[in-house]
Amino acid sequence: MTGAAANSTKVPLGLYIFTRLHQVGIDTVFGLPGDFNLALLDYIYDVPEMKWAGNANELNAAYAADGYARIKKLSALITTYGVGELSTLCGIGGAASESLGVIHIVGTPSTEAQSKKLLLHHTLGDGDFNVFQRMSSELSKATYSIDDIKTATKHIDDAIKTAWTYQKPVYVGLPTNFVNMEVDASLLKTPIDLTLPPNDPATEDEIFEEILRLVAKCKNPIILVDACAVRYNVKEETEKLMAITQFPTFVSPMGKSAVTEEDPRFGGVYIGSLSTPEVKEVVNSADLVISVGSLMSDFNTGSFTYGFDIHNMIEFHSDYTKIKRAIYPKTQMQSLLKKITTNENWISRLKAANSAYVPKDHPIPAAHYKPEKEMTDDSSLTQAWFWNELSTWLQEGDIIITETGTSAFGIASTKFPKNTIGISQVLWGSIGYTVGSCLGASFASTELAKPRRVLLFVGDGSLQLTVQEISTMIRWNLTPYLFVLNNSGYTIEKLIHGPTAGYNEIQPWRHQLLLKTFGATEENSESMEIKTVKEVKDLFKDVEFSKADKIRLVELFFPIMDAPDSLVKQAEMTASTNKK
Amino acid sequence: MTGAAANSTKVPLGLYIFTRLHQVGIDTVFGLPGDFNLALLDYIYDVPEMKWAGNANELNAAYAADGYARIKKLSALITTYGVGELSTLCGIGGAASESLGVIHIVGTPSTEAQSKKLLLHHTLGDGDFNVFQRMSSELSKATYSIDDIKTATKHIDDAIKTAWTYQKPVYVGLPTNFVNMEVDASLLKTPIDLTLPPNDPATEDEIFEEILRLVAKCKNPIILVDACAVRYNVKEETEKLMAITQFPTFVSPMGKSAVTEEDPRFGGVYIGSLSTPEVKEVVNSADLVISVGSLMSDFNTGSFTYGFDIHNMIEFHSDYTKIKRAIYPKTQMQSLLKKITTNENWISRLKAANSAYVPKDHPIPAAHYKPEKEMTDDSSLTQAWFWNELSTWLQEGDIIITETGTSAFGIASTKFPKNTIGISQVLWGSIGYTVGSCLGASFASTELAKPRRVLLFVGDGSLQLTVQEISTMIRWNLTPYLFVLNNSGYTIEKLIHGPTAGYNEIQPWRHQLLLKTFGATEENSESMEIKTVKEVKDLFKDVEFSKADKIRLVELFFPIMDAPDSLVKQAEMTASTNKK
């Protein structure tokens, strides 16, 4: 414990909250001031390591909290009653959908004002002060309303633990009059217990016997790694499982970056029928699929076109395990995979069961990242070429953020170096998300032992929704790369429906002026236009450019309607589903 | 009926919807494309008079729909499932709180996809396809889910009628597969019946007798006009009531522009203890208050500091009438006021009851708009001076939009010419609202028989939340005046709490670059900085500047923490309420 709370016997609840958040690794808090949260915000400055990001708007703040949580596993967002909290809901929905531990604290009117049903600003004017919490409860794993100082610290601790355990958003309503009330400071000396409840050992044993039985008889097994492997933090266990079994391992679009692509067993990205032929051949002929953290949504599976038998899988999930058709409730993968990959006895037994397995040839990842052959130096950029070429410039540890659109689909054919983190909102798919997320990831990066480069890829259409958050990046001297893919409109929508319709057009902006408009200087920023293959190649060779020492906006020009093949095909399938 | 629907016996439901919206006067539709609404949007082009605004983000679109509805009494907003609709909720909350008829149509997944509980993008991934409608139902007067083509047209008609009658938001979920289904075109030949249900005549009689009794014995009566007089469109009846009774008439901050300020009976703005002494004297000593459309919220009443007896009022509301302590349910003011002010017999009886009334001196409005004495030409601007000076530049019919902050409080001391429309979100108070609202009002203005000038007053802090909607204004060649009050941060929050706190600071922007960044040209736009009294005076004398023939951004520099007196006092009271 540090700061103002260290030497007191009593602390105000406001200080208790920020101290607790700091204890679980949250050092940047996102949100906007509003009169019902101002008194709370005062206390953030009493925890020296903490920062108040001060976002440009609340939706962007929620996206930033999501991006921060993808790096640090928990994040906090503070808004004001009614207007502030409702503005975040699309971002909270994303955290619910994509499993991120976002703690949303809402400053609410004083309990006296609430009980008197005063006709206050930021209300619907009907005296119902619970309506907004009810709305958030639809998206939150749990909601808490602080209404008694005796239970306040327990509610705060429970909220944090719930967000951590389930990796879902939680909601805390905090009336203004509770902020300065005092609570027992000694509580802060005991960290919140974030250990997961253990699985039932007998169930684990039974599951493991089943696994051994299936592993013993398979000839073409694979491991398929998906989103929840990242969210529930079993990347290390998954890589150990690859090493123990030697099974070829694939990732879904949402699972990309969950395992090291340089591992010789890594086979590429599996997106059902949208996969490359080499990947499809191996995955679709698998006679056992060991699935880690799967999330089989339309855009994550090429609209459900998986070619393997979904009833012949071992599925590790965050809240249950499934073997073939049998479900083992409450047996969560975090402990189970840990035991499988660290218990010496279990490792030996798994290797023994697996002893007859002869590793097959599997796709060479290089074949997955298909080089484009016919580009010359003065060629215009194409998506197919660019996403391959990007592989040459990435560095170990990069955080790579791609927007739902051409970027999220294109990135599947980029080779990730070791230890990179991929961020993309494939399930929720809210356009504009990545700009806020980039801010959150950039803050998180500065708090890591070794800061990482943050690379944002966003289309000109999506950028328009959330552009002002670039201002917050500049304010904090954050140094992400903002790659703006300028292809004149909402290309993903055009591919699905209405390629020439007015509703898919956007107002053209002068992107080169954005950084300057939002207050950047010549010294701390750089903006450039890139139109040809040679310009990209030169840029990627430029040592100065590669140092993430200032914010950079790189505007990449692509032909209208140019898109990664996988997106073109996905769009056709989505259009067909919508018509049915 | 015009366009593609005119000569058919069957029309697709999508065309039916836009034809109906057009029939009730909606010619601009706000929103963003998303794959679940694209097929619907195709049909907007089949109604020649209609436009798809194509907003920069959904919250801004909702604010625009609110602003449009303040001029045209109904508006429409189209978003996509999940991500799009949740992004609007703060705007929909504003429409609920402040009573605007916003019809929100959400493109939802096909009924087949819903019934199969497919794990689709834009969902929470749990197969619950009703969650977002449940959330919207908390803010909407009614929600509809189209699930049967037989009832679809009735649901659409009911949604429109409900939004009109109650001046509240309604929600329509429209699955993709219904858009092209055909419905009976002849239905479109009968306009939707928008007449209100009549009041019970016997109740009206009883109320009128009570009114006569109270009017006969009062000596110092006043009329107090508030927000709902504007929303429920009884401005004309209210002015007739002023003429018949000759009672001094005041407006609340939310009621400003409801009555003609040039009327000799007009006495100024009443904001409880924050009113000028002249206004307070008359209103607080009233022995009868005839209240039209009152909405007695904290910011609208100087934190409930009204000095008259609230149990000695005649209250006309949109859904009931109240006389002293007696409530007459369902007796709505629209018909009742019409009868009182147009029925010859009732007018005579009211005048007779009123015959002993001797009109008192009442405040000269000029005294309310206090001129600032000590300004010289090279003085820096002050809020106190500016809002008075603005009176000299306003024109008949102007639409004047003020943001919650210094603008909404300052505008109380500006004299409005005849027939102006004031827009301000005093109850909901969501910062950033006015930029979207300005877009909506600007579209609405172009659709009026005589277009009006649109004047936006927004602080540098609030502007940051919604700035990108300026791009949509430029795209459509709309020509509002964007007055940006640059006072370096969230002044209203600083006044309430934390005047020097980091959380109330914002990143400084180069506002002069905004129009250019968003694609405006030298020809169709103008940006300027204004720092002194003389610069304002010169600007207001400039005939070219006064023609609303291009979009103009006028950056007005104010000292940090300079604010209208009424805001300073309101902020103190709000801070005190929050602490209790």
Side-chain angles (χ1 to χ4, degrees):
Chain A
M1 199 184 343
T2 57
N7 298 310
S8 316
T9 56
K10 291 277 181 186
V11 289
L13 182 61
L15 179 56
Y16 181 91
I17 290 171
F18 288 116
T19 307
R20 277 306 201 203
L21 294 176
H22 174 59
Q23 287 178 345
V24 295
I26 295 172
D27 282 339
T28 305
V29 178
F30 300 95
L32 267 79
D35 70 303
F36 297 125
N37 69 29
L38 299 174
L40 173 62
L41 296 186
D42 282 346
Y43 289 107
I44 198 168
Y45 302 101
D46 290 338
V47 183
E49 300 84 351
M50 294 191 94
K51 294 178 291 294
W52 171 246
N55 294 88
N57 71 35
E58 283 91 353
L59 179 55
N60 295 356
Y63 289 157
D66 173 314
Y68 184 92
R70 285 179 197 246
I71 313 294
K72 300 198 68 182
K73 295 292 154 203
L74 275 178
S75 66
L77 170 69
I78 298 181
T79 63
T80 199
Y81 187 69
V83 292
E85 58 179 304
L86 292 197
S87 295
T88 70
L89 291 183
C90 175
I92 299 295
S97 169
E98 300 242 335
S99 296
L100 280 312
V102 175
I103 300 155
H104 186 192
I105 300 171
V106 178
T108 64
S110 73
T111 38
E112 180 177 308
Q114 293 194 39
S115 65
K116 285 184 178 166
K117 295 185 184 292
L118 291 185
L119 186 44
L120 295 186
H121 65 288
H122 300 344
T123 71
L124 298 181
D126 60 0
D128 180 353
F129 284 88
N130 301 318
V131 53
F132 309 125
Q133 183 171 346
R134 288 201 302 276
M135 291 172 71
S136 267
S137 73
E138 297 279 3
L139 304 174
S140 305
K141 186 70 187 177
T143 66
Y144 304 86
S145 181
I146 306 296
D147 54 3
D148 182 348
I149 195 65
K150 291 197 204 75
T151 54
T153 58
K154 181 169 185 330
H155 283 339
I156 300 297
D157 291 2
D158 285 352
I160 293 171
K161 188 175 168 74
T162 301
W164 167 265
T165 304
Y166 297 99
Q167 289 293 305
K168 293 283 176 189
V170 298
Y171 175 104
V172 179
L174 178 64
T176 50
N177 55 315
F178 277 96
V179 171
N180 297 326
M181 288 189 197
E182 294 203 314
V183 298
D184 182 358
S186 70
L187 294 169
L188 291 168
K189 292 185 181 147
T190 311
I192 299 172
D193 178 10
L194 295 181
T195 54
L196 299 176
N199 293 330
D200 171 52
T203 309
E204 286 194 337
D205 288 344
E206 188 176 318
I207 289 169
F208 188 60
E209 296 303 327
E210 283 302 297
I211 291 172
L212 293 179
R213 201 172 59 79
L214 292 178
V215 164
K217 69 182 189 182
C218 69
K219 291 195 171 62
N220 298 309
I222 63 154
I223 298 172
L224 187 52
V225 188
D226 207 339
C228 293
V230 183
R231 297 301 189 280
Y232 297 93
N233 217 359
V234 293
K235 289 164 69 170
E236 196 185 325
E237 291 77 8
T238 305
E239 294 202 336
K240 282 184 184 158
L241 191 67
M242 287 167 70
I244 295 167
T245 62
Q246 289 294 305
F247 294 165
T249 301
F250 299 81
V251 293
S252 72
M254 291 180 85
K256 191 164 162 78
S257 86
V259 299
T260 303
E261 302 194 7
E262 287 167 1
D263 187 299
R265 305 309 312 161
F266 179 70
V269 182
Y270 182 70
I271 333 175
S273 65
L274 307 182
S275 317
T276 62
E278 298 83 357
V279 168
K280 249 190 289 195
E281 192 186 319
V282 181
V283 176
N284 289 356
S285 63
D287 61 358
L288 178 66
V289 175
I290 300 182
S291 148
V292 183
S294 85
L295 206 169
M296 294 165 90
S297 77
D298 53 354
F299 282 11
N300 201 31
T301 61
S303 279
F304 317 113
T305 56
Y306 19 77
F308 52 83
D309 179 1
I310 60 164
H311 297 302
N312 190 28
M313 294 172 75
I314 297 168
E315 296 178 47
F316 295 104
H317 292 281
S318 65
D319 48 354
Y320 68 100
T321 305
K322 187 173 175 188
I323 297 192
K324 300 188 85 173
R325 288 173 180 80
I327 289 169
Y328 301 84
K330 291 188 185 170
T331 314
Q332 40 88 353
M333 66 182 172
Q334 295 94 314
S335 320
L336 182 57
L337 279 172
K338 187 162 213 114
K339 184 157 185 194
I340 293 172
T341 58
T342 57
N343 180 299
E344 290 300 335
N345 178 34
W346 279 27
I347 293 173
S348 311
R349 293 190 63 203
L350 186 56
K351 282 187 172 168
N354 189 26
S355 59
Y357 171 66
V358 183
K360 297 283 189 312
D361 279 352
H362 67 85
I364 304 148
H368 181 65
Y369 315 118
K370 277 190 279 187
E372 183 89 2
K373 292 284 156 57
E374 295 161 31
M375 303 294 275
T376 61
D377 273 1
D378 59 354
S379 292
S380 298
L381 308 185
T382 66
Q383 297 265 348
W385 178 81
F386 176 76
W387 296 110
N388 284 290
E389 189 66 19
L390 177 62
S391 311
T392 66
W393 182 67
L394 297 181
Q395 293 179 4
E396 185 173 334
D398 282 350
I399 298 172
I400 303 152
I401 308 172
T402 52
E403 178 73 34
T404 304
T406 57
S407 311
F409 285 85
I411 200 71
S413 53
T414 305
K415 184 175 178 182
F416 281 4
K418 241 172 107 170
N419 198 25
T420 50
I421 296 176
I423 295 181
S424 182
Q425 215 189 34
V426 174
L427 173 54
W428 188 238
S430 179
I431 64 169
Y433 157 76
T434 55
V435 183
S437 185
C438 176
L439 175 77
S442 298
F443 270 116
S445 168
T446 64
E447 296 166 12
L448 300 176
K450 191 180 168 206
R452 295 156 175 259
R453 301 196 307 183
V454 178
L455 286 41
L456 167 67
F457 297 92
V458 60
D460 53 349
S462 298
L463 175 64
Q464 296 200 351
L465 284 88
T466 48
V467 65
Q468 57 269 78
E469 219 52 44
I470 294 174
S471 149
T472 314
M473 300 173 196
I474 295 167
R475 184 178 177 190
W476 285 94
N477 290 310
L478 299 170
T479 59
Y481 294 84
L482 313 176
F483 291 92
V484 177
L485 282 60
N486 187 335
N487 55 10
S488 306
Y490 301 122
T491 302
I492 185 169
E493 311 293 5
K494 289 178 186 174
L495 290 165
I496 295 173
H497 190 95
T500 60
Y503 53 72
N504 281 329
E505 301 302 327
I506 60 168
Q507 165 75 356
W509 287 4
R510 294 189 178 92
H511 298 109
Q512 294 302 305
L513 291 179
L514 279 174
L515 297 184
K516 194 172 176 191
T517 301
F518 292 142
T521 64
E522 297 282 330
E523 290 68 44
N524 68 12
S525 73
E526 186 175 11
S527 290
M528 64 193 76
E529 294 186 324
I530 297 291
K531 297 186 174 175
T532 67
V533 162
K534 181 162 191 310
E535 286 171 3
V536 171
K537 286 182 173 172
D538 289 347
L539 191 66
F540 286 171
K541 277 182 211 140
D542 181 342
V543 177
E544 288 307 309
F545 173 78
S546 297
K547 294 179 191 162
D549 55 359
K550 55 176 77 171
I551 190 168
R552 288 182 169 90
L553 187 149
V554 183
E555 186 173 8
L556 301 163
F557 288 81
F558 289 92
I560 295 179
M561 298 297 285
D562 177 45
D565 274 358
S566 57
L567 173 55
V568 175
K569 290 180 198 153
Q570 176 65 57
E572 284 167 8
M573 292 190 288
T574 299
S576 156
T577 304
N578 287 346
K579 272 189 193 147
K580 264 183 208 163
Chain B
M1 198 183 344
T2 57
N7 299 306
S8 316
T9 56
K10 291 278 181 185
V11 290
L13 181 61
L15 179 56
Y16 181 91
I17 290 171
F18 288 115
T19 307
R20 277 306 201 201
L21 293 176
H22 174 59
Q23 287 178 346
V24 294
I26 295 171
D27 282 340
T28 304
V29 178
F30 301 95
L32 267 79
D35 70 305
F36 297 125
N37 68 29
L38 299 174
L40 172 63
L41 296 186
D42 282 346
Y43 288 106
I44 198 169
Y45 303 100
D46 291 337
V47 183
E49 299 84 352
M50 293 192 94
K51 295 179 290 294
W52 170 245
N55 294 88
N57 71 35
E58 282 91 354
L59 178 55
N60 296 356
Y63 289 156
D66 173 313
Y68 185 94
R70 285 179 197 244
I71 313 295
K72 300 198 68 182
K73 295 291 154 203
L74 274 178
S75 66
L77 170 68
I78 299 183
T79 63
T80 198
Y81 187 69
V83 292
E85 59 180 303
L86 292 196
S87 296
T88 69
L89 291 183
C90 175
I92 299 295
S97 168
E98 300 242 336
S99 296
L100 281 311
V102 175
I103 301 156
H104 185 192
I105 300 172
V106 178
T108 64
S110 72
T111 39
E112 180 177 308
Q114 293 194 38
S115 65
K116 285 184 179 167
K117 294 184 183 293
L118 291 184
L119 186 43
L120 296 187
H121 66 287
H122 300 345
T123 71
L124 298 181
D126 60 1
D128 179 352
F129 283 88
N130 301 319
V131 54
F132 308 125
Q133 183 171 345
R134 286 200 304 275
M135 292 172 70
S136 268
S137 72
E138 296 280 3
L139 305 174
S140 306
K141 185 71 187 176
T143 66
Y144 304 86
S145 181
I146 306 295
D147 55 3
D148 181 350
I149 195 66
K150 289 195 206 76
T151 55
T153 57
K154 181 168 183 336
H155 283 340
I156 299 298
D157 291 3
D158 285 352
I160 293 171
K161 188 175 168 72
T162 301
W164 168 265
T165 303
Y166 296 99
Q167 289 293 306
K168 293 282 177 188
V170 298
Y171 175 103
V172 179
L174 178 63
T176 51
N177 55 314
F178 278 95
V179 171
N180 297 325
M181 288 188 197
E182 295 202 316
V183 298
D184 181 359
S186 70
L187 294 169
L188 291 168
K189 291 184 182 151
T190 310
I192 300 172
D193 177 11
L194 296 181
T195 53
L196 299 177
N199 293 330
D200 171 51
T203 308
E204 286 193 338
D205 288 344
E206 187 176 320
I207 290 170
F208 188 61
E209 297 302 329
E210 283 302 299
I211 291 173
L212 292 180
R213 200 172 59 80
L214 293 178
V215 163
K217 67 179 190 185
C218 69
K219 293 196 170 64
N220 299 308
I222 62 154
I223 299 173
L224 186 53
V225 188
D226 206 341
C228 293
V230 184
R231 300 298 190 282
Y232 298 93
N233 219 2
V234 292
K235 289 164 67 169
E236 196 184 323
E237 291 77 8
T238 304
E239 295 202 335
K240 282 184 184 157
L241 192 66
M242 288 166 70
I244 295 167
T245 62
Q246 288 295 306
F247 294 167
T249 300
F250 299 81
V251 294
S252 73
M254 292 180 83
K256 190 162 160 79
S257 86
V259 298
T260 302
E261 302 194 6
E262 287 167 2
D263 188 297
R265 307 305 316 159
F266 179 70
V269 182
Y270 182 71
I271 333 175
S273 65
L274 307 182
S275 316
T276 61
E278 298 83 0
V279 169
K280 248 188 293 194
E281 191 186 323
V282 180
V283 176
N284 290 355
S285 63
D287 61 357
L288 178 66
V289 175
I290 300 182
S291 146
V292 183
S294 86
L295 207 169
M296 294 165 90
S297 77
D298 52 354
F299 283 9
N300 202 33
T301 61
S303 279
F304 317 114
T305 55
Y306 19 78
F308 52 84
D309 178 2
I310 61 166
H311 297 303
N312 190 28
M313 296 173 73
I314 297 168
E315 297 178 47
F316 295 104
H317 292 282
S318 66
D319 48 355
Y320 67 101
T321 304
K322 187 172 176 189
I323 296 192
K324 300 188 84 173
R325 289 173 179 81
I327 290 168
Y328 300 84
K330 289 189 186 170
T331 314
Q332 40 88 353
M333 65 181 170
Q334 296 94 314
S335 320
L336 181 56
L337 279 172
K338 189 166 211 109
K339 185 157 183 196
I340 293 173
T341 58
T342 58
N343 180 300
E344 290 302 334
N345 178 34
W346 279 28
I347 293 174
S348 312
R349 294 191 61 203
L350 184 57
K351 282 187 173 167
N354 190 29
S355 58
Y357 171 65
V358 183
K360 298 282 190 313
D361 278 352
H362 65 85
I364 303 147
H368 181 66
Y369 316 120
K370 278 192 276 187
E372 182 87 6
K373 294 278 158 59
E374 296 163 29
M375 303 295 276
T376 60
D377 273 1
D378 58 353
S379 292
S380 299
L381 307 185
T382 65
Q383 297 266 346
W385 178 82
F386 177 76
W387 297 110
N388 284 290
E389 188 66 19
L390 177 63
S391 311
T392 65
W393 182 68
L394 296 182
Q395 294 179 4
E396 184 174 335
D398 282 349
I399 297 171
I400 302 153
I401 307 172
T402 52
E403 178 72 35
T404 304
T406 55
S407 313
F409 285 85
I411 199 72
S413 53
T414 306
K415 183 174 181 187
F416 281 5
K418 243 174 105 169
N419 198 24
T420 51
I421 297 177
I423 295 182
S424 184
Q425 214 189 33
V426 174
L427 173 54
W428 189 237
S430 179
I431 63 169
Y433 157 77
T434 55
V435 183
S437 184
C438 175
L439 175 78
S442 298
F443 269 116
S445 168
T446 65
E447 296 166 12
L448 300 175
K450 189 179 169 207
R452 295 157 174 259
R453 300 195 309 182
V454 178
L455 285 41
L456 167 66
F457 297 91
V458 61
D460 53 349
S462 298
L463 175 65
Q464 296 201 351
L465 284 89
T466 47
V467 65
Q468 57 270 79
E469 219 53 42
I470 293 174
S471 150
T472 314
M473 300 172 196
I474 296 167
R475 183 177 178 192
W476 285 93
N477 291 310
L478 299 170
T479 59
Y481 294 83
L482 312 176
F483 291 91
V484 176
L485 282 59
N486 188 335
N487 54 10
S488 307
Y490 300 122
T491 302
I492 184 170
E493 311 294 6
K494 289 178 186 173
L495 290 166
I496 295 174
H497 190 97
T500 60
Y503 53 71
N504 280 330
E505 300 304 324
I506 59 168
Q507 164 74 357
W509 287 5
R510 295 190 177 90
H511 298 110
Q512 294 303 307
L513 291 179
L514 279 174
L515 296 183
K516 193 171 177 192
T517 301
F518 293 143
T521 63
E522 297 283 329
E523 289 70 44
N524 67 12
S525 72
E526 187 176 9
S527 289
M528 64 193 76
E529 294 185 323
I530 298 290
K531 298 187 174 174
T532 66
V533 162
K534 180 161 192 314
E535 285 171 3
V536 170
K537 287 182 173 173
D538 289 347
L539 191 67
F540 286 171
K541 278 180 210 143
D542 181 342
V543 177
E544 287 308 309
F545 174 78
S546 297
K547 294 179 189 163
D549 56 358
K550 56 176 75 171
I551 189 167
R552 288 181 169 90
L553 188 149
V554 184
E555 187 173 7
L556 301 163
F557 289 82
F558 290 92
I560 295 180
M561 299 297 287
D562 177 45
D565 274 358
S566 57
L567 173 55
V568 174
K569 289 180 201 153
Q570 175 65 58
E572 285 166 8
M573 292 190 286
T574 299
S576 156
T577 304
N578 288 344
K579 271 189 193 150
K580 263 181 207 165

